[in-house]
Amino acid sequence: MTGSAPSQLLRPRALEPGDLVVIASLSGPLPADREPNVEQAVVVLERMGFRVRRAPLLEAGRRHWWNAAAPAEIAGELNALLRDPEVRAIVASDGGQTALGYLDLIDVEAVRADPKPILGYSDVSLLHLVLYARTGLVGFHADMAVPGFGGHWQSAPPARQAELEGLYSGLLTGTEAIGALPTSPSWECWRPGRVEGRLIGGVINRIVLAQATRFALPLERFDGAVLFWEEAGGLASHVWSYLQVMRHCGILDRISGMVVGVPHEISGLEPGVSPTLPEIVLDVLGDRDIPVLGNVDFGHAGPNLPMPVGIRVGLDAQRRTLSLLEPAVAPPTVTAPAG
């Protein structure tokens, strides 16, 4: 099956107090020393008003190579969660290098029948992009259990934690548009402009990998889109290369704007070393006159502002604002496609 699904948006059903959220190993294993992070993530999700359960594969020490289990086993557990009507949302425990191994094993009919929020970033970007391509499902590029709710959130100031809890809770339970995301002094205007468009993106290397599969987003789905991306590890030259791939395949000619997350542990971006990340981005964009907002609070540096894939946003790079213009979830009684 190809990625040529209808462009209509498929919003999950809004969560309600007491709904069941399951933390699952959708990619890498759980190291024993990260068990406390999972326990802290449970506390955060319960404080939002949800019941929380751990999926069976989320067991410290369980692993298959660099995966939490064999890809087919992970897909089997994910599919069981997608089919279980009691499960109302799925939170990835961590990222890794596994999703490419089971993209073809996901029960997309279960997604269409009962769409649910899937939260995660890093390797989980592949799930968001592919499921958006195949079903129109809104993907929640957002914090995970181990590096997010149980990690970066715990070291954030109390006021920031409270702000994030309110934002995530509102995104998952509210059927009104969130509006402007909370800004921070780190946000930078790399090229001015104001646009509206659908938010599409993830980790930049996973965007490129997704487009190399038979589940790639058709190019027309990037028409007018606001492309968001971040990267962790590797070299600055790799980022330049990934952007060049998107230039060659036509993505950069179709988007209306770009939002770049906080870079994390990328060699070659140290102070005093040229080029800078803005220089890399603007070099590849060339004379494409689109707004670019940089250093926004999402990515591996954490904590993450949620970036719901498929939702219409408003970007004003000069004013350094990014606004969610429509809800990411549908009213609890609505499970049909909407958009």
Side-chain angles (χ1 to χ4, degrees), residues 202-209 229-231 239 242-243 246:
V203 182
I204 192 170
N205 65 73
R206 293 307 194 263
I207 300 172
V208 171
L209 287 172
W229 61 268
E230 56 103 359
E231 180 63 309
V239 174
Y242 296 139
L243 288 167
M246 288 195 279

Side-chain angles (χ1 to χ4, degrees), residues 97 121-122 203-206 229-242 261-270 277 280 299-301:
Q97 299 288 335
Y121 63 96
S122 194
V203 182
I204 192 170
N205 65 73
R206 293 307 194 263
W229 61 268
E230 56 103 359
E231 180 63 309
L235 304 174
S237 59
H238 294 169
V239 174
W240 182 85
S241 297
Y242 296 139
V262 178
H264 184 63
E265 297 181 352
I266 299 176
S267 297
L269 296 179
E270 297 83 1
L277 190 57
I280 290 171
H300 286 70

Side-chain angles (χ1 to χ4, degrees), residues 324-335:
L324 307 186
L325 301 181
E326 57 186 0
V329 292
T333 55
V334 176
T335 57

Side-chain angles (χ1 to χ4, degrees), residues 6 8 20 23 35 56 96 105 146 192 209 244 261:
Q8 194 173 32
L20 178 63
I23 302 175
E35 175 64 31
L105 303 178
V146 171
L209 287 172
Q244 293 287 3

